[in-house]
Amino acid sequence: MMKKLTDSLWNFLQTKVKPHFTKGGKFENLFYLYEAIETFLFLPPEVTHDKPGTHVRDGMNLKRLMIHVVFALIPAMLFGIWNIGHQHYIALGEYVGLSEGLMDKFLVGLKVFLPILIVVMAVGGTIEVLFSVIRKHPVTEGFLVTGPLIALIVPPTIPLWMVAVATAFAVTFGKEIFGGTGMNIVNTALLARAFLFFAYPAHMSGDQVWIYLGEAADRVVDGFSGATPLAVAAEGGYQALKTFSYQSYGFWDMFFGWIPGSIGETSTLAILLGAALLLHTGVADWRIMAGMLLGGIFTAFLFNMFPANEYMALPWYYHLVMGGFAFGLVFMATDPVTSASTFTGKWIYGFIIGVVALIIRVLNPAYPEGVMLAILLGNVTAPLIDHLVIKSYISRRERQVSAIVPSPKTQEPVKESSHA
Amino acid sequence: MLEMINIAIKTIFIENMVFAFFLGMCSYLAISKNFNAAFGLGLAVIVVELVTIPLNWFLKTYFLEPGALAWLHPSFSAVDLSFLTFLVFIATIASSVQLVEMVVERFFPALYTALGIFLPLITVNCAILGGSLFMDERDYSFGESVFFALGAGIGWFLAIVLFAAVRQKVRYSNVVKPLRGLGLAFIITALLGIAFMGFAGIKL
């Protein structure tokens, strides 16, 4: 049944639709729009043949790689939707228990999250298609990943027009002018968030933005505060988290994620599920994750050793479940385009991000969270790291070769032709 | 001592000459196409900063400041030569750049050719004069001005090296035609600036 359906769809596309879009057809300028749909629905018809030589025979093209990330985002997304509703009802003092009002919470969450997602996808998708039609390059599913990512890293109360402006800015200046997917130097989703953060700080930080209240803003229970764990910890460290008046911010609360925060970044558990998929399919590199984890733990541990204030004394493992650390670690830092591409480079790149994230988070009073900016910094350092790693690799090989083949002219670089 | 190291770190990351003050942009944009040339120019800027800022500190403290000439004769204590600050600073910078140029030409001929006109043009690199003027304006002590010079130089070096590596990578990108070259360079600089904004606000 399914096979018949897909076959007839394929035939329909090939015979009835495609001719209009190929050369000489009515919509020949829009070919890449058609091609985007075809390759989204079907694997490419061309396969590498069994000729001598090594070929990768695998259906994993760019689109399928991207769709893996979208699947990996689903746990965080579902949890985020529920959590919007959960925080909403906690603020009103209703359905305080975790299992109460599941459907109501989901509905509130959907009401908030869907418009954001739709706006992001519509704005970003339009720009992407415009660019690819005018510049005649294929539409890739890059935005299918970037879109949900943007929607997941904004606070639930963000005005939709801001999301639209930020998306337009990030897609245009962060990606499309460089030539589209695979050619950008900074993570597009993070650029959108950085744009929002610096252009409209009042809507991106503080105690008011993390909980969607809607029309119920006047029914908030007394003594409720929407401060995120990061803000609370910055005030008074471990003790403040323990004794935070209304909700408790314990380690496990933050691990499971029923805390205020950006939509998709609160639940470390949901993110770990996504991470498992990404690691299993090899889409994300474990070296980057390990490097960033090590960098974060190392820095937090140093702060623990020499605490100058309450925040620095916060146990190191708390930092891993607070704020955007886990989300950035799994979905942002591992972006294969903007991260370092050598193996050694990936360790260094991840480590730098971890260190800088913690430094900004703890030492910079201007920003409560540093993961976003740390990854952006990592993105722009990645080319340098790669360059240096490759250079050191080349010189090491040169030394090896010249040790085996004693060259009379030691000053000249040894040619590759030797057997080493 | 810790304070001085703080000044150096602050000048490298938080108040980076390029990303926070946008100083020295001309050679930053022009020389960054080739990584090795950018590396060399960055090193040259470190050297020039390290020579000129302490030197200018001496000139400022013992000649230019109001009353600085008192060490010659008590009757000079009313003399104020600070209107000469710009002239003297520029002269110091020009002569030290000349020295650096001679050294580079003698010992690194390849780098000398790669840098071309931009080596003598370090003279008019705003980051260099800016460094001396910041030293003047912020009333650094001698030790502070040395560490400030080190920080300013390393900060500029870091900026141009990062930028050159990014431009090397972008060479393979299918950049929109009207923006190829300088247009994209400006946009990349802005992106780097955003990335460095994470440090803005850290108090050392």
Side-chain angles (χ1 to χ4, degrees):
Chain A
M1 177 64 197
M2 198 60 200
K3 175 95 172 87
K4 230 169 133 185
L5 206 71
T6 52
D7 276 354
S8 64
L9 181 63
W10 172 253
N11 284 333
F12 173 72
L13 281 177
Q14 290 299 315
T15 55
K16 291 273 159 42
V17 184
K18 196 172 185 180
H20 293 304
F21 289 93
T22 43
K23 218 166 167 51
K26 245 185 290 180
F27 309 112
E28 109 183 54
N29 285 334
L30 298 177
F31 172 72
Y32 284 115
L33 198 58
Y34 165 79
E35 193 250 2
I37 295 166
E38 185 192 299
T39 49
F40 178 66
L41 294 173
F42 296 100
L43 286 170
E46 301 88 11
V47 270
T48 46
H49 289 290
D50 201 7
K51 284 176 187 155
T54 46
H55 294 294
V56 177
R57 265 180 281 167
D58 194 341
M60 189 78 162
N61 60 4
L62 188 62
K63 298 194 185 208
R64 261 136 283 269
L65 188 119
M66 296 288 188
I67 212 79
H68 276 107
V69 185
V70 177
F71 284 141
L73 278 171
I74 286 176
M77 202 182 288
L78 287 178
F79 188 88
I81 293 172
W82 173 80
N83 194 39
I84 296 171
H86 183 60
Q87 298 300 327
H88 173 77
Y89 281 114
I90 284 186
L92 303 182
E94 301 163 21
Y95 297 142
V96 178
L98 288 171
S99 54
E100 293 168 39
L102 190 68
M103 275 324 284
D104 283 348
K105 287 174 182 173
F106 254 109
L107 283 179
V108 171
L110 276 180
K111 204 176 94 191
V112 176
F113 181 70
L114 272 189
I116 297 179
L117 186 67
I118 290 170
V119 166
V120 170
M121 296 308 281
V123 172
T126 312
I127 293 174
E128 176 124 4
V129 169
L130 269 181
F131 263 92
S132 60
V133 167
I134 294 170
R135 303 197 63 213
K136 309 217 180 308
H137 68 69
V139 184
T140 51
E141 259 60 7
F143 196 71
L144 215 58
V145 175
T146 312
L149 281 178
I150 296 178
L152 286 176
I153 54 177
V154 292
T157 56
I158 192 90
L160 292 179
W161 66 268
M162 283 184 195
V163 181
V165 172
T167 311
F169 170 80
V171 174
T172 312
F173 288 98
K175 192 167 83 173
E176 285 303 331
I177 60 161
F178 288 92
T181 304
M183 301 184 178
N184 44 326
I185 52 163
V186 296
N187 189 309
T188 320
L190 280 180
L191 187 63
R193 194 182 197 279
F195 178 84
L196 286 172
F197 191 78
F198 291 124
Y200 313 107
H203 292 269
M204 291 298 286
S205 49
D207 295 351
Q208 307 300 323
V209 303
W210 305 107
I211 291 169
Y212 168 77
L213 293 170
E215 279 117 45
D218 48 346
R219 289 194 280 128
V220 177
V221 273
D222 288 341
F224 178 80
S225 156
T228 60
L230 281 171
V232 177
E235 287 290 315
Y238 185 64
Q239 276 310 315
L241 278 179
K242 271 271 142 106
T243 57
F244 185 59
S245 60
Y246 197 84
Q247 290 162 286
S248 63
Y249 288 152
F251 179 82
W252 293 108
D253 295 317
M254 297 198 273
F255 179 77
F256 289 114
W258 31 78
I259 50 171
S262 292
I263 295 172
E265 69 175 24
T266 57
S267 172
T268 312
L269 178 69
I271 293 163
L272 283 181
L273 287 179
L277 178 71
L278 289 183
L279 288 176
H280 176 71
T281 52
V283 171
D285 201 295
W286 63 272
R287 292 172 190 86
I288 297 174
M289 295 195 194
M292 183 169 163
L293 205 58
L294 276 179
I297 292 174
F298 170 75
T299 319
F301 203 69
L302 271 190
F303 288 147
N304 284 349
M305 293 284 99
F306 310 100
N309 57 33
E310 287 289 312
Y311 198 5
M312 285 163 95
L314 186 72
W316 56 270
Y317 45 87
Y318 269 69
H319 282 289
L320 308 181
V321 294
M322 286 199 308
F325 194 88
F327 196 84
L329 179 92
V330 173
F331 293 109
M332 296 297 187
T334 56
D335 174 1
V337 179
T338 54
S339 60
S341 23
T342 49
F343 283 167
T344 325
K346 283 178 181 185
W347 281 102
I348 302 170
Y349 163 85
F351 195 79
I352 289 178
I353 293 178
V355 171
V356 174
L358 263 282
I359 287 180
I360 297 178
R361 182 186 272 185
V362 178
L363 294 185
N364 193 343
Y367 310 130
E369 176 60 302
V371 173
M372 165 186 81
L373 291 158
I375 297 176
L376 283 177
L377 196 76
N379 286 165
V380 298
T381 347
L384 180 65
I385 297 173
D386 275 344
H387 182 90
L388 296 179
V389 167
I390 292 171
K391 251 177 123 174
S392 79
Y393 177 74
I394 291 174
S395 64
R396 198 174 70 226
R397 287 298 295 258
E398 266 176 11
R399 276 202 306 278
Q400 283 174 357
V401 170
S402 55
I404 298 166
V405 189
S407 151
K409 285 175 272 176
T410 43
Q411 289 303 308
E412 276 183 34
V414 182
K415 293 280 182 302
E416 271 293 287
S417 56
S418 69
H419 57 271
Chain B
M1 190 63 203
L2 193 68
E3 289 225 324
M4 297 186 181
I5 295 174
N6 278 350
I7 286 182
I9 293 175
K10 196 167 125 188
T11 336
I12 296 175
F13 292 107
I14 306 168
E15 293 172 357
N16 188 292
M17 280 289 178
V18 176
F19 299 129
F21 296 111
F22 290 89
L23 288 174
M25 294 299 285
C26 2
S27 37
Y28 169 80
L29 290 169
I31 291 296
S32 48
K33 273 179 229 139
N34 176 327
F35 185 86
N36 291 333
F39 193 86
L41 186 70
L43 288 182
V45 167
I46 295 183
V47 173
V48 174
E49 294 266 27
L50 266 179
V51 172
T52 56
I53 294 181
L55 205 60
N56 282 335
W57 182 86
F58 267 112
L59 292 172
K60 176 201 150 201
T61 321
Y62 294 106
F63 293 97
L64 299 171
E65 264 182 341
L69 285 172
W71 61 274
L72 271 179
H73 192 274
S75 61
F76 284 152
S77 60
V79 178
D80 177 7
L81 290 180
S82 52
F83 63 92
L84 286 175
T85 305
F86 282 96
L87 271 181
V88 172
F89 280 9
I90 283 283
T92 326
I93 291 167
S95 43
S96 16
V97 169
Q98 188 63 45
L99 271 175
V100 171
E101 192 188 348
M102 280 151 75
V103 171
V104 172
E105 188 183 8
R106 173 71 181 80
F107 294 104
F108 311 99
L111 183 62
Y112 183 76
T113 345
L115 293 177
I117 185 67
F118 285 94
L119 192 53
L121 277 185
I122 293 182
T123 317
V124 287
N125 187 330
C126 351
I128 309 280
L129 180 62
S132 287
L133 291 176
F134 277 134
M135 177 272 295
D136 181 21
E137 187 188 296
R138 294 173 187 169
D139 274 327
Y140 282 139
S141 69
F142 179 73
E144 282 171 340
S145 65
V146 170
F147 277 88
F148 171 72
L150 193 68
I154 294 178
W156 203 88
F157 168 80
L158 189 70
I160 195 170
V161 167
L162 277 178
F163 186 55
V166 171
R167 281 187 91 170
Q168 220 169 32
K169 184 179 174 187
V170 169
R171 218 182 285 158
Y172 303 101
S173 295
N174 175 21
V175 178
V176 180
K177 270 216 186 73
L179 286 177
R180 279 184 195 163
L182 266 191
L184 193 75
F186 274 109
I187 291 172
I188 295 175
T189 312
L191 296 179
L192 283 159
I194 291 181
F196 265 76
M197 268 173 90
F199 295 112
I202 296 183
K203 295 209 172 46
L204 285 176

